[in-house]
Amino acid sequence: MAEPVSTERIGNVAIVEIDNPPVNALGSLIRQHLEDHVRAALEDDGVDAVVLAARGKHFSGGADIREFGQPSTGPDLPGLIARLEAADKPIVAALKGTVFGGGFELALGCHYRIADSSARFALPEVRLGLLPGAGGTQRLTRLIGPEAAVKLIVTGEPIDAREALSLGIVDRLDDGDPREAAIAFAGEIAKTRPLPRVSEMTDRIAAVDPVAFDAVAERFLAANRGLTAPRACVASVRNAFTRPFAEGLAEERRMFAELRGSDESRAQRHLFFAERAALKVPGLDATVKPRPVQKIAVIGAGTMGGGIAMSLASGGYDVTIVDQSDDALTARLQAIAGLYRKSAARGASAAEGETALARISSTTDFAAAVGGADLVIEAVFERMDLKKQIFGELGTLTKPGTVLATNTSSLDVNEIAEASGRPGDVLGMHFFSPANVMKLLEVVRGDKTDPDALATAIEVGRRSGKIPVTVGVCFGFVGNRMMAARTRQLDAMLLEGASPAEIDAEARRFGNAMGPCAVSDLAGLDVGYLVRKESGRRAYVIDAIAESGRHGQKTGKGLYRYDPGDRRPIPDPEVDTFIDALALQAGVTRRPIPDDEIGERLVYPMINEAARILEEGIAARPSDIDLIWISGYGFPRTKGGPMFHADTIGLPTIVARLDELAERTGSEELHPAPLLRRLAEQGGSFGDMNGS
Ligand code: 3H9
């Protein structure tokens, strides 16, 4: 095995190089080797300057996240960085690719920074529920000033090398090899003194207006309400200009340790790995290559078709929207152009919007559009007969090898696949509304889907900025099937005595932005009603309300009522009276339902359904289910998804409550799934099933 850190001597310059693929994470072993190599170089009388470089594409992705939560060995990163900075010989960082988190902090401890144009800088710790904990908040603030620093630290957004140069993060940009450039530079400045140490810089923090700073910070915090880490980031940047360096550093370290142990950070770290794990699909190894795709036809000019087209265009694909109606196509293209204008007005790049728009065309010529496509995505009404007819035509009109995808949200993909006559090419690509915004893509693998067709859908999703999660065929797949389990409980609770406002209040307390009743009114009660009707299902209360003509916000009345032009839900006594009558008919005596019972019944039945989904192999691992609920259904990120949350509560607690609820309500489906009961009895967890 190659040495994880090595030293090479060129003249009076020592090049200390990290080699820890894939991202040069700074785990304990690397820190120990770095410490040893740098010390040896500094102690060597023949060395006048040191270059700190890294092999591979990336300088460093930061601290090794896998080691968080384990006992720490070797020198800690803040200490190592402090010793580099205190060195009496110049240390020059040679930067390229990812310079993230602890990797960025390491570079800030060097005396000079040279980068090539591939370098991207970020302090993304906030996205893991953390703050930069190796001096990043203190040094970056001193280097570029509090307002620029707080933006980088609270958003976690990367900036490119050019911006880093203009902010003063980088001393020199060189389009050749940054290692070579750093060696040459180190030779030039080897004898120059004093050494610039960021911790000693005071220019940018000398005359800060704290009121102006708070105003800027508040803007960034507004988008992160309810999260702890962003507030800690702001507090720490503030320390950088209000307290001495050593105090600010100690406080940063204290906050970092506290956040690292929090459920909020554990949940976000889990999601980081969940996103990567979801791309590893069982049965799809690295030898399976996606089919080449450039031209994509989207069938259906509805809102969904338009949103899908926008996502694909931003991924660089040429998209043709096909519909029978010229008017529908014209209206959809206008709507799409309007959405791009709106996002440009909100700060997105207008040029990128125009480029994406130019990639979208439309036609009523079905045969021509699908005949030239490498991938076809059908996004028409949720009706099996219609979908089968379309796939029958696609089977003959498309080229061999064209991947055929249906955007169905619940229908049997195997049945649709058979209708095409070439089921190996067929799968589901279930986008979520609004499809240009929502990250989730459920990729539905049919029984006969070819591995390379599956790899194609995953790749197209990934390039289009989605989080593709592969699932198997069943009614509603993973997300909507669990949602249906929740809706059945919601409906039962409405009948038994809970009001929509009580249910929604409990969901908001849990961390949802909106409660499920308000969401149903927003989406339209008729939508769920029609889906259930098509599949022979019924929600006793909600469907009766929909049938009474109350369809939600669009009719001014649903589970709530709405004042004209106002989207705020207002509790409606008419709804109570309506449900009272339904309960009477059903022989149910209504009762107040305690808040904690409402909370449990909104979440535990979903967890139970998820356990059945895992038993059936519809989802490959619990973390895939978490990803689906976080990226497609607004499950609070800080809870890490339903399966992670289940582990946090403790499976025995959930099983005991489900047993009680099943007993009291007589509901068969509330009996704990065998997998859930088994895990609870054996002291296991869903996390164990993720294999990490
Ligand atoms: C930190 O630095 C704390 C400090 O402030 C203070 C410390 C005291 N650790 O994403 P990819 C793995 S917190 C461990 O597919 P890409 C990843 O899981 C850290 N593993 O590649 C995957 O493994 P696998 C702050 C990591 O090229 C493989 O590398 N830093 C780490 O698309 C490839 O990853 C961050 O938050 C890590 N830090 O993107 C950066 N990073 O093959 C997090 C990656 O087994 N990382 N892995 O699935 C990223 O944003 C992206 O991974 C990166 C590369 C841009 C680096």
Side-chain angles (χ1 to χ4, degrees), residues 14 21 31 109 116 152 156 159 179 203 250 275 310 350 395 415 453 463 519-520 571 604:
R31 294 196 305 272
D116 73 3
L152 275 179
I159 54 167
R179 185 180 188 273
D203 285 10
E275 246 183 72
M310 288 176 79
E415 202 178 328
R463 255 186 69 185
V519 170
S520 299
Y604 293 3

Side-chain angles (χ1 to χ4, degrees), residues 172 179-189:
R172 196 179 280 184
R179 185 180 188 273
E180 296 307 316
I183 295 168
F185 182 81
E188 284 168 36
I189 51 83

Side-chain angles (χ1 to χ4, degrees), residues 6 33 48 77 84 121 144 172 175 194 226 252 285 291 314 550 575 689:
S6 58
H33 281 269
D48 289 325
L77 195 56
L84 294 191
F121 297 78
I144 66 174
R172 196 179 280 184
D175 263 335
E252 179 195 87
D285 60 39
R291 299 179 191 172
S314 67
R550 300 180 69 115
V575 172
M689 294 176 66

Side-chain angles (χ1 to χ4, degrees), residues 22-23 58 61 63-66 102 105 124-125 128 132-133 272 276 280:
V23 302
H58 303 296
D64 191 331
I65 308 167
R66 285 179 203 277
E105 294 173 295
E125 285 86 344
L128 301 172
F272 174 81
R276 277 132 191 104
K280 292 172 189 141

Side-chain angles (χ1 to χ4, degrees), residues 595-617:
D595 289 346
D596 55 352
E597 181 181 332
I598 294 177
E600 287 163 354
R601 288 176 70 177
L602 284 177
V603 178
Y604 293 3
M606 273 186 8
I607 293 168
N608 203 24
E609 193 65 31
R612 293 191 185 104
I613 285 171
L614 286 165
E615 274 166 359
E616 293 166 27

Side-chain angles (χ1 to χ4, degrees), residues 603-671:
V603 178
Y604 293 3
M606 273 186 8
I607 293 168
N608 203 24
E609 193 65 31
R612 293 191 185 104
I613 285 171
L614 286 165
E615 274 166 359
E616 293 166 27
I618 299 293
R621 50 181 89 79
S623 64
D624 284 0
I625 298 177
D626 285 337
L627 215 47
I628 286 173
W629 273 80
I630 294 285
S631 57
Y633 294 83
F635 198 91
R637 260 192 98 72
T638 49
K639 298 256 182 333
M643 315 316 283
F644 185 87
H645 179 60
D647 283 348
T648 310
I649 297 169
L651 303 189
T653 307
I654 296 176
V655 165
R657 278 304 277 150
L658 282 170
D659 275 334
E660 255 177 64
L661 286 168
E663 171 85 25
R664 184 151 51 72
T665 61
S667 158
E668 265 306 300
E669 74 167 317
L670 288 179
H671 285 294

Side-chain angles (χ1 to χ4, degrees), residues 71-129:
S72 170
T73 57
D76 64 25
L77 195 56
L80 170 62
I81 293 172
R83 286 186 287 282
L84 294 191
E85 193 184 43
D88 54 6
K89 295 175 187 174
I91 304 182
V92 183
L95 306 171
K96 61 183 169 180
T98 297
V99 186
F100 279 13
F104 190 0
E105 294 173 295
L106 182 66
L108 289 172
C110 295
H111 305 112
Y112 301 96
R113 286 158 293 280
I114 308 287
D116 73 3
S117 56
S118 74
R120 288 162 70 241
F121 297 78
L123 289 170
E125 285 86 344
V126 69
R127 296 177 179 186
L128 301 172

